[in-house]
Amino acid sequence: MSREKILKKLKEKNKNLNKDLLQKILDVFFSNISDSLKDKRNVEIRSFGTFFIKEIKEKKNARNPKTGEIIYVPKKNKARFKPSKKLKETINK
């Protein structure tokens, strides 16, 4: 679902709020999640799931699949999401 579709759904359910306010709310929501992940803190949204950072180890002997040459890949952080039990049940009905 795109950002515009999310805003449209929010507007349908909250007719008294204007579009600018809904955009600000969405911006604050996503920026708080991003800031928390940047600080390596988990973000748990009850009945939905948990966003967390997983550190990927460096690889000294990785191979470029196109050329076959050995390359170095530095360690990095990846954002991950673990759905809650309730969300899993909802999508598997």
Side-chain angles (χ1 to χ4, degrees):
M1 180 180 277
S2 70
R3 179 184 175 84
E4 290 303 316
K5 287 182 182 178
I6 292 171
L7 286 170
K8 188 175 178 182
K9 290 273 189 186
L10 286 171
K11 183 66 178 163
E12 288 173 7
K13 295 194 181 234
N14 301 288
K15 295 186 188 308
N16 58 337
L17 298 177
N18 65 19
K19 188 174 180 179
D20 290 338
L21 181 60
L22 290 172
Q23 284 180 336
K24 287 180 184 175
I25 291 170
L26 207 57
D27 288 340
V28 168
F29 178 74
F30 288 129
S31 69
N32 282 333
I33 291 175
S34 297
D35 292 343
S36 294
L37 290 175
K38 190 167 69 174
D39 295 337
K40 296 184 180 180
R41 291 181 293 159
N42 294 351
V43 178
E44 179 183 348
I45 302 172
R46 300 282 171 145
S47 302
F48 185 70
T50 304
F51 294 93
F52 60 96
I53 291 292
K54 181 174 183 181
E55 189 175 283
I56 306 299
K57 296 185 288 185
E58 67 181 351
K59 297 175 186 165
K60 296 180 181 177
N61 293 328
R63 219 171 258 285
N64 180 341
K66 191 171 186 179
T67 63
E69 119 183 58
I70 294 177
I71 58 174
Y72 170 76
V73 179
K75 73 176 182 174
K76 58 187 167 187
N77 294 322
K78 287 201 171 188
R80 295 288 189 238
F81 176 75
K82 181 180 179 190
S84 70
K85 183 177 178 183
K86 186 174 181 180
L87 179 61
K88 287 180 187 177
E89 289 171 357
T90 301
I91 63 175
N92 289 313
K93 282 186 179 180

